[in-house]
């Protein structure tokens, strides 16, 4: 493969390994929004995507898929444990989500994180043409920008952080806090979801490294006695809104939505939660509030059902194993207490569904509950809004999700305040159609005006200022 002018580096490749009809291994495009966002850029710039194929021990040569050059980075079983499950998802993930679960600091995990980040950086350096643009994604790869800059000072390097960046008081717990900041500062542009995340990062840089910051600029020593400017600012990510709108307009998907309502016994209101099964999502808080509403007699299972889709995630990390037990115990208790032969309180689905089915569910749901305790953005909130082509439905949205900065016409809640959450759910259930319409139109306008293509364009425009190469990359 020739070298690419544009390289994306992410923990995961944009494809999943699946069995085909004959039972052989095949590749399928993964459903994530990032692929959708970057695919047009990748095609135009003849780009490459460097990432892990999602299975331990898989050693593969670079290959072409769906018009993209994919460069697999292998991880051994031990590395999956130490770098992915350990440092990424049992140290950084809980620490950056306000220690909702206790982060574990293990030196062996850090060593694996350094080694694996170096492998990603090496693969990206090899894939990139002279003066190429490299865009590194997310918290699993925070050291890659600096490693890349050291190997390839000709490159223009962007980094986007999809999850929150915590307040300094929490961040400073990290034993490797300086190395991580220095790693990120290898990038020319460091993008965050919220203005507050960029602010937390700049403060950590000032306190730990004593670098000067001014507006979004950070003066980073260039190793030759001078400084260069790195840009740290908010670029809130979005979804491919048009594809949700298109799906929501299909008659067969609307029919499926009606069928879903029917199969739940045609309750007058359906509440919906859709999350990876993760302790940051506030699934327990949501269920506690709903359980109490049933107990108080403010709602009845004859009229109201909560559908909770909790897709399996990081199933070998202890905190996730525990969370699953707690959620399933709670669902069992609430259903045991309140179900009737014909109606269920909570329809719980520990499964992942294709996009078509999700859009049907969004159309079937009168109220969408996004009660995250901390969330970088929460794209489910945006997917729900985009899908409501009928301008009906109510979004209840945690102020601790990045989406709250843009979706002010939702009913905003503090999920820790159970009484407040109960009242918000009641307000959503009882909201008149005219008010639903007014709020939903405002929400939809925002999501349509700022879609994922816009996001990547804004980021790449900011990065273009640093570019020394001849060709511009446009989304
Ligand atoms: C979050 C992270 C992503 C990650 C995704 C799924 O959205 O920001 O980087 O890919 O969760 O988690 P997983 O561990 O399965 O990749």
């Amino acid at each position: 493969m020739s070298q690419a002018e544009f390289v994306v580096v992410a923990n995961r490749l944009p494809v999943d390994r699946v069995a085909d009809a004959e039972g052989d291994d095949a590749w399928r495009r993964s459903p994530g929004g990032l692929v959708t966002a970057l695919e047009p850029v990748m095609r135009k710039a003849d780009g490459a995507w460097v990432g892990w194929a999602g299975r331990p021990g898989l050693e593969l040569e670079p290959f072409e898929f769906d018009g993209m050059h994919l460069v697999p980075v292998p991880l051994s079983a031990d590395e999956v444990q130490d770098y992915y499950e350990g440092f990424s998802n049992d140290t950084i993930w809980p620490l950056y989500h306000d220690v909702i679960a206790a982060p574990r600091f293990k030196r062996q995990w850090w060593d694996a994180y350094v080694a694996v980040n170096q492998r990603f950086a090496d693969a990206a350096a090899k894939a990139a043409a002279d003066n190429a643009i490299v865009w590194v994604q997310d918290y699993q790869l925070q050291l890659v920008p600096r490693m890349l800059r050291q190997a390839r000072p000709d490159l223009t390097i962007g980094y986007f952080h999809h999850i929150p960046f915590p307040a300094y008081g929490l961040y400073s717990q990290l034993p490797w806090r300086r190395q991580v900041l220095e790693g990120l500062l290898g990038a020319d542009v460091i993008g965050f979801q919220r203005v507050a995340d960029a602010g937390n990062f700049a403060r950590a840089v000032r306190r730990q490294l004593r670098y000067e910051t001014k507006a979004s600029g950070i003066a980073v020593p260039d190793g030759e006695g001078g400084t260069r400017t790195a840009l740290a600012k908010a670029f809130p990510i979005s979804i491919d809104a048009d594809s949700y709108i298109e799906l929501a307009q299909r008659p067969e998907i609307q029919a499926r939505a009606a069928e879903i309502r029917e199969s739940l016994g045609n309750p007058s209101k359906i509440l919906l939660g859709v999350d990876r099964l993760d302790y940051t999502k506030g699934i327990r808080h949501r269920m506690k509030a709903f359980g109490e509403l049933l107990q108080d007699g403010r709602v009845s299972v004859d009229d109201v059902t909560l559908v909770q889709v909790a897709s399996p995630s990081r199933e070998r990390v202890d905190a996730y194993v525990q969370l699953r037990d707690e959620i399933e115990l709670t669902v069992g208790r609430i259903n045991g207490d309140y179900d009737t032969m014909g109606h269920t309180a909570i329809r719980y689905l520990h499964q992942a569904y294709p996009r078509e089915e999700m859009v049907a569910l969004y159309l079937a749901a009168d109220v969408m509950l996004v009660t995250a305790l901390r969330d970088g953005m929460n794209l489910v909130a945006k997917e729900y809004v985009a899908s409501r082509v009928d301008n009906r439905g109510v979004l209840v949205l945690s102020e601790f999700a990045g989406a709250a900065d843009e979706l002010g016409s939702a009913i905003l809640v503090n999920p820790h305040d159970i009484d407040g959450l109960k009242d918000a759910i009641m307000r959503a259930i009882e909201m008149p159609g005219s008010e639903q319409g007014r709020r939903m139109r405002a929400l939809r306008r925002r999501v349509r005006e700022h879609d994922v293509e816009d996001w990547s364009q804004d980021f790449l425009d900011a990065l273009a200022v640093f570019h020394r190469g001849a060709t511009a990359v446009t989304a």
Side-chain angles (χ1 to χ4, degrees):
M1 194 186 88
S2 63
Q3 290 182 313
E5 300 290 342
F6 179 63
V7 180
V8 171
V9 194
N11 179 52
R12 289 182 185 275
L13 284 174
V15 290
D16 295 318
R17 195 110 162 130
V18 290
D20 65 12
E22 280 81 49
D24 296 331
D25 279 335
W27 294 107
R28 188 185 56 199
R29 216 158 173 290
S30 45
L34 192 61
V35 201
T36 327
L38 298 180
E39 202 193 337
V41 196
M42 296 274 291
R43 283 188 200 283
K44 249 190 255 173
D46 211 10
W49 188 306
V50 176
W52 174 46
R55 277 199 210 164
L58 205 59
E59 303 245 0
L60 298 164
E61 288 304 311
F63 62 100
E64 302 287 314
F65 179 85
D66 222 358
M68 299 182 280
H69 306 294
L70 304 186
V71 183
V73 176
L75 295 181
S76 69
D78 283 349
E79 286 167 342
V80 171
Q81 263 183 34
D82 293 349
Y83 147 80
Y84 170 72
E85 291 163 350
F87 197 79
S88 297
N89 290 315
D90 217 0
T91 305
I92 294 292
W93 182 269
L95 180 68
Y96 283 24
H97 287 86
D98 290 359
V99 303
I100 296 165
R104 295 166 69 200
F105 302 116
K106 286 200 177 196
R107 285 163 284 185
Q108 184 183 324
W109 290 356
W110 165 253
D111 293 342
Y113 187 77
V114 176
V116 171
N117 270 245
Q118 189 65 60
R119 188 172 312 144
F120 275 85
D122 292 346
K126 197 169 153 204
D130 285 351
N131 298 315
I133 290 179
V134 182
W135 193 359
V136 183
Q137 308 287 331
D138 226 358
Y139 66 101
Q140 302 92 345
L141 302 176
Q142 294 171 102
L143 308 179
V144 169
R146 178 168 201 252
M147 291 168 166
L148 257 181
R149 182 175 290 276
Q150 281 174 340
R152 292 284 305 275
D154 59 300
L155 300 175
T156 304
I157 303 168
Y159 170 90
F160 187 75
H161 194 74
H162 293 250
I163 70 171
F165 196 90
Y168 181 68
L170 294 175
Y171 181 75
S172 56
Q173 288 182 13
L174 185 66
W176 308 279
R177 57 198 183 186
R178 288 176 67 91
Q179 291 96 312
V180 168
L181 295 174
E182 283 165 354
L184 292 167
L185 286 168
D188 294 298
V189 178
I190 306 148
F192 295 93
Q193 301 280 25
R194 307 180 91 160
V195 174
D197 296 317
N200 288 342
F201 175 72
R203 174 141 194 266
V205 169
R206 285 193 299 273
R207 295 291 299 266
Q208 272 305 315
L209 304 176
R210 305 274 160 212
Y211 296 170
E212 273 182 38
T213 68
K214 198 168 159 196
S216 309
I218 301 176
V220 183
D222 61 6
E224 292 161 14
T227 59
R228 63 179 176 89
T229 301
L231 201 65
K233 61 178 276 207
F235 296 88
I237 201 168
S238 192
I239 57 162
D240 176 16
D242 288 344
S243 79
Y244 284 87
I245 294 169
E246 191 270 314
L247 288 172
Q249 282 166 337
R250 285 194 202 165
E252 72 271 21
I253 290 186
Q254 294 181 357
R256 174 67 189 142
E259 193 178 283
I260 290 171
R261 291 196 76 102
E262 185 88 14
S263 63
L264 290 167
N266 269 321
S268 58
K269 295 286 173 180
I270 294 174
L271 316 181
L272 175 65
V274 174
D275 311 86
R276 272 187 311 102
L277 187 48
D278 194 298
Y279 49 80
T280 58
K281 303 290 183 183
I283 303 172
R284 277 176 302 191
H285 295 64
R286 192 181 306 166
M287 287 184 175
K288 173 133 188 102
F290 184 58
E292 285 191 16
L293 287 174
L294 287 164
Q295 190 182 17
D296 302 343
R298 291 170 79 184
V299 298
S300 136
V301 288
D302 296 335
D303 308 320
V304 183
T305 292
L306 168 62
V307 176
Q308 176 64 55
V309 175
S311 53
S313 184
R314 306 175 191 163
E315 290 189 279
R316 299 196 319 172
V317 178
D318 279 351
Y320 291 75
V321 175
Q322 263 178 41
L323 174 75
R324 182 171 178 196
D325 285 348
E326 284 170 32
I327 297 289
E328 294 183 355
L329 186 72
T330 306
V331 172
R333 285 212 174 131
I334 295 179
N335 283 346
D337 285 344
Y338 299 105
D339 277 11
T340 61
M341 290 301 171
H343 292 102
T344 189
I346 305 179
R347 175 60 54 85
Y348 166 77
L349 303 145
H350 184 243
Q351 294 164 53
Y353 294 96
R355 205 182 259 200
E356 288 78 5
E357 181 74 353
M358 293 316 303
V359 172
L361 254 178
Y362 292 145
L363 285 173
D366 302 283
V367 177
M368 181 81 216
L369 297 173
V370 177
T371 57
L373 306 176
R374 184 52 83 191
D375 207 334
M377 175 53 63
N378 197 291
L379 294 177
V380 164
K382 293 187 171 179
E383 291 171 9
Y384 179 67
V385 164
S387 303
R388 295 313 304 235
V389 290
D390 56 352
N391 289 314
R392 284 295 177 274
V394 184
L395 174 63
V396 174
L397 176 60
S398 166
E399 58 193 67
F400 300 107
D405 285 355
E406 293 169 84
L407 304 182
S409 295
I411 298 187
L412 295 181
V413 291
N414 167 6
H416 296 283
D417 170 10
I418 299 296
D419 285 336
L421 184 52
K422 286 164 69 181
D423 290 345
I425 294 174
M426 289 313 297
R427 203 172 145 208
I429 289 176
E430 289 163 358
M431 188 180 288
S434 55
E435 185 181 348
Q436 291 182 32
R438 201 160 20 83
R439 288 173 180 265
M440 191 52 80
R441 270 189 282 272
L443 294 169
R444 300 194 73 237
R445 198 174 313 125
R446 170 66 198 176
V447 174
R448 286 165 66 176
E449 279 169 7
H450 180 67
D451 66 2
V452 72
E453 203 183 311
D454 236 59
W455 166 78
S456 57
Q457 185 67 68
D458 285 352
F459 187 93
L460 292 172
D461 283 350
L463 200 52
V465 175
F466 295 85
H467 192 214
R468 302 156 200 74
T471 46
V473 174
T474 51

